[in-house]
Amino acid sequence: TLFLMSLRYVRYFQYSKKLRSSGLQKMKPELRLFVGTIGRLLGIHKTVAVWLSSVVESPMTIGFLKPIILIPIATVNHLSIQQVETILLHELAHIRRNDYLLNLFITLAGILFFFNPFSRLLIHSIKKERENCCDDLVMQFSYDSTTYASALLSLERARKQHYELAIAAIGNSNQLLLER
């Protein structure tokens, strides 16, 4: 079982590497500027790339040393500029908190302690709180909570797949979005 779980996460890791190079298009200049400006304001010293992707179905952040935010093309077409900004701000919060690296450690813990129900509860709790912290950061900026909530609802409607090693803006479960 341990071997099969490890093999599954190796496949997710390889897929996340593929996402960095396939189906990418440039984001609007004003949104790239927004990411750079807000990133500096949040104290992110790394250069954060932001791309539109025809491959992903949910906004996500990939990478620790060279973080990339991927936004689905279909999502951008159905959201207002303010809604896209809230989603980008959420993803920047993940970068600021180094959640991609944390997710790798959580994944490793999940593989090593797959047999322990308490470790699964702890991992679920960590993932839930990670998303809540990023939501709290979005709300600290002067965005209307209904704008952010409607953006999250729109994302949930468009979502079809889960990506284990990427930090998705909507989390890993339908219940998590409802609670947020």
Side-chain angles (χ1 to χ4, degrees), residues 152-153 156 170 173-180:
L152 290 175
L153 180 61
E156 182 63 26
I170 53 181
S173 73
N174 295 334
Q175 188 64 30
L176 181 60
L177 179 65
L178 182 60
E179 291 171 2
R180 287 169 60 196

Side-chain angles (χ1 to χ4, degrees), residues 30 36 39 103 110 130 137 145-146 148:
E30 55 269 9
N103 199 44
R130 179 182 64 202
L137 188 121
S145 59
T146 56
Y148 185 49

Side-chain angles (χ1 to χ4, degrees), residues 56-61 69-72 75 87 91 155 167-170:
V56 299
E57 295 178 0
S58 173
M60 61 181 58
T61 298
I69 298 174
L70 300 176
I71 305 290
T75 300
I87 298 304
E91 296 302 320
L155 293 174
I167 308 299
I170 53 181

